[in-house]
Amino acid sequence: EIVLTQSPGTLSLSPGERATLSCRASQSVNNHPIVWYQHKPGQPPRPLFSSTSSRATGIPGRFAASGSGTDFTLTISSLEPEDFAVYFCQHYSGSPPMYTFGQGTRLEIK
Amino acid sequence: QVQLRESGPGLVGPSGTLSLTCVVSGGSFTSPNWWSWVRQGPGKGLEWIGEFYHGGPTTDYNPSLKRRATISLDASKNHLSLNLTSVTAADSAVYYCTRIGGGGFDYWGQGIRVTVSS
């Protein structure tokens, strides 16, 4: 089973700063790359990027996803107040079917 | 626009069965899509429970649940159900009904909080 490790656990930044969030897989996941979600209290997780690195509908261009193999990055170029949330990465393995989540990175206002 | 809504009891006794229902609007559980349940325990990360496809029907589950979970469809009511047996406090969580797409979960219900306690 693939394990996803996100870092840092908590990231404290100010609006306008650049955020870089990491998701590392325990083995290569090029067959089904990483999906990213934003999660705010009291709301369901919101998909940011699909496994094809396509930005989901309504996601602003300041969000970018990159990476391959075992190392993936979510970058927010200039933080807006509404971006402070928990971010999860997720992977799908097909044989047998299994969806795995990282433990999350909390992005908080400094 | 697909919308999902979970319902069910918010409190279940230990060793009992957790039973939740999901209703979809703007779509159908009999469409060529996979549907899934995901949960998040207090202070914990997200955990995939299982998935369902009507054209089979086909179900797959997270092995960590040790065969306690069952996902089924009542096509006449367009309800997707989750049953989780022999629950303990560790099963207390917010449970989400989701649609699978883009390698992950592209539509989510608002979630329902379930507490396991006597």
Side-chain angles (χ1 to χ4, degrees):
Chain A
E1 178 183 331
I2 290 176
V3 175
L4 300 178
T5 302
Q6 292 187 243
S7 62
T10 301
L11 184 58
S12 299
L13 294 170
S14 300
E17 291 192 291
R18 180 185 186 90
T20 302
L21 288 67
S22 172
C23 178
R24 176 164 291 179
S26 58
Q27 62 191 81
S28 177
V29 298
N30 279 339
N31 57 339
H32 292 284
I34 296 297
V35 180
W36 288 94
Y37 302 87
Q38 178 191 67
H39 196 191
K40 295 181 178 180
Q43 299 180 19
R46 178 189 187 191
L48 298 175
F49 291 90
S50 70
S51 64
T52 59
S53 296
S54 299
R55 192 178 289 110
T57 302
I59 302 303
R62 62 181 180 274
F63 288 86
S66 62
S68 64
T70 60
D71 291 311
F72 296 83
T73 300
L74 176 70
T75 302
I76 311 171
S77 58
S78 179
L79 286 166
E80 296 288 341
E82 61 267 27
D83 299 335
F84 292 92
V86 178
Y87 291 86
F88 290 98
C89 58
Q90 172 254 309
H91 175 258
Y92 166 72
S93 299
S95 300
M98 183 66 189
Y99 298 82
T100 305
F101 291 90
Q103 83 279 17
T105 289
R106 179 178 302 279
L107 179 57
E108 63 178 26
I109 299 177
K110 187 174 181 180
Chain B
Q1 178 78 353
V2 172
Q3 292 186 319
L4 300 163
R5 187 179 78 250
E6 307 87 350
S7 62
L11 181 65
V12 181
S15 76
T17 296
L18 181 159
S19 296
L20 299 176
T21 298
C22 178
V23 176
V24 64
S25 57
S28 172
F29 291 124
T30 58
S31 66
N33 291 105
W34 290 77
W35 306 87
S36 182
W37 289 90
V38 175
R39 70 181 182 180
Q40 184 176 32
K44 298 182 180 179
L46 295 161
E47 180 182 32
W48 174 67
I49 297 171
E51 63 182 0
F52 173 90
Y53 181 67
H54 175 67
T58 301
T59 52
D60 302 296
Y61 300 101
N62 189 328
S64 71
L65 294 170
K66 298 180 182 178
R67 300 177 180 268
R68 295 189 296 122
T70 302
I71 299 174
S72 60
L73 174 67
D74 184 335
S76 65
K77 297 180 180 179
N78 204 28
H79 286 179
L80 187 72
S81 296
L82 168 68
N83 282 343
L84 185 65
T85 61
S86 304
V87 296
T88 69
D91 294 307
S92 296
V94 176
Y95 286 76
Y96 296 99
C97 177
T98 73
R99 193 185 80 167
I100 292 173
F105 310 97
D106 58 357
Y107 289 96
W108 297 66
Q110 280 298 116
I112 182 169
R113 184 175 302 277
V114 179
T115 301
V116 178
S117 175
S118 56

